Amino acid sequence: MARDIDEKKKRKALRKLRKAAKRAEAEGGPGLSDWEREFVDEVEERVEKYGSAFADPDKGPLSEPLSQRQMQKLKEIDKKSRGQGGLKRSSFKNKKQSQSFTPRSRDINDDIEVDETPSLPAERGPRLVDLPSSSKSEPAAPNKPKARPHLRLVKNEEEPS
């Protein structure tokens, strides 16, 4: 019992199947495993005979010749035949590559121009000066916390109470 599948879609699916198999089995190609060879042959035979390679509507749209899973496997075989590997690769980078991370912020020290030569001669620079002994005071005691302030009430004698 053949379903009505668009002839254009059938030809496209068959062409993809045959092209992937031919490319994989070419002289420089990786070749197909026994399972892949059997898959390609059986799917090709069912598409030619019935117009579709699946019957369960849960597996894909009934207007397509291949189920979603069959299309996925066909894409994997095609990638393998092109030499791009058959398995899906992750887009995340290894931790080793991310260790060379540099932030995209500016360092404020980069904006300052440092002049290695002093602008003033050494004799004109700051000097230590001794103060006379009279202005010297004893070292200041460390700041002690003051006592808590307290409130003192003072009677005003002019006002009668």
Side-chain angles (χ1 to χ4, degrees), residues 16-87:
K16 282 184 177 182
L17 276 167
R18 291 174 182 152
K19 202 171 190 180
K22 183 179 177 184
R23 191 181 302 125
E25 292 179 347
E27 199 168 306
L32 293 176
S33 66
D34 294 336
W35 183 89
E36 291 169 334
R37 180 76 248 155
E38 186 179 330
F39 170 79
V40 169
D41 291 340
E42 287 180 5
V43 169
E44 185 177 341
E45 179 184 331
R46 280 185 257 152
V47 169
E48 287 176 350
K49 186 173 182 181
Y50 302 110
S52 176
F54 71 103
D56 190 359
D58 292 337
K59 294 184 178 180
L62 294 177
S63 62
E64 296 293 323
L66 300 178
S67 70
Q68 293 171 346
R69 186 75 172 152
Q70 289 168 337
M71 282 301 293
Q72 182 183 1
K73 288 298 176 187
L74 176 59
K75 284 180 183 179
E76 288 178 11
I77 292 171
D78 189 44
K79 275 187 178 182
K80 178 181 176 181
S81 69
R82 292 176 190 264
Q84 298 172 353
L87 299 176

Side-chain angles (χ1 to χ4, degrees), residues 10 20 31 34 43 48 79 93 106 110 137 141 144 149 151 156:
K10 284 186 350 187
D34 294 336
V43 169
E48 287 176 350
K79 275 187 178 182
K93 294 180 180 178
R106 292 177 49 190
D110 292 342
S137 62
K144 294 181 182 177
L151 180 64
N156 190 354

Side-chain angles (χ1 to χ4, degrees), residues 114-143:
V114 179
D115 188 15
E116 297 297 325
T117 59
S119 59
L120 297 174
E123 57 200 40
R124 299 186 99 203
R127 306 178 261 175
L128 293 177
V129 178
D130 288 331
L131 296 175
S133 60
S134 62
S135 65
K136 286 185 180 178
S137 62
E138 294 183 22
N143 292 340

